[in-house]
Amino acid sequence: MTAVSASAAATQDAPLDDHPHADVAQILHALAEPTRLSLVHTLAGGTYRVVELTSTLGLAQSTVSAHLAVLRLAGLVTATPEGRATRYALADPEIDEVLAAAERFVARQREDQAPGAGSSTWQHLEAARRGLAAGGGDGRLAERAGG
């Protein structure tokens, strides 16, 4: 068994309490915002200063800086001082691979959605989220999501 498959097997056999769900959730939460996804996607192409990111993404400096702070706290982005500026980079190139996998998943979901078949899975999930946010967190998520 290779080290990777041994690690995967150990993770599968580990009790649920030993799984780093909270750590994974923190990373996914940091990525769960379109502007931050755009930043990560841009940083996959190299290192950038805030001024370059604001120009590339067409966002205010304060917006870019705030989102970079969230990404840094989650350990997704590194910051290296360069004179009076700071260069930002992805902490690990695998972060971009995670996003690419998510994008492939979304593309398949959209392909599977037949034209005229009604609401998409994403629309059902968004409706369920809105229902829960409105105080309807009574365990009927599947019912509200159309399931």
Side-chain angles (χ1 to χ4, degrees):
M1 188 179 310
T2 67
V4 172
S5 60
S7 173
T11 300
Q12 290 173 347
D13 294 338
L16 194 55
D17 292 343
D18 291 342
H19 194 281
H21 286 116
D23 295 336
V24 172
Q26 180 183 0
I27 290 168
L28 294 176
H29 181 74
L31 293 171
E33 204 286 329
T35 299
R36 289 194 288 271
L37 289 174
S38 295
L39 280 165
V40 170
H41 184 76
T42 301
L43 291 170
T47 63
Y48 292 86
R49 295 177 298 144
V50 171
V51 68
E52 295 165 334
L53 291 167
T54 59
S55 176
T56 299
L57 299 172
L59 299 169
Q61 180 273 329
S62 59
T63 300
V64 170
S65 293
H67 286 299
L68 286 170
V70 172
L71 294 170
R72 282 185 69 195
L73 284 172
L76 298 170
V77 171
T78 61
T80 306
E82 183 181 86
R84 291 177 34 180
T86 301
R87 281 214 168 266
Y88 292 88
L90 292 184
D92 188 320
E94 285 190 29
I95 297 163
D96 192 47
E97 294 174 27
V98 169
L99 296 183
E103 290 167 358
R104 288 190 301 273
F105 177 78
V106 168
R108 284 193 305 274
Q109 291 289 335
R110 288 181 177 168
E111 288 172 6
D112 290 346
Q113 181 64 39
S119 299
S120 72
T121 301
W122 306 113
Q123 289 167 323
H124 287 298
L125 289 172
E126 179 60 18
R129 186 197 62 75
R130 282 192 309 270
L132 290 172
D138 57 2
R140 292 183 281 170
L141 178 63
E143 175 183 310
R144 292 189 179 156

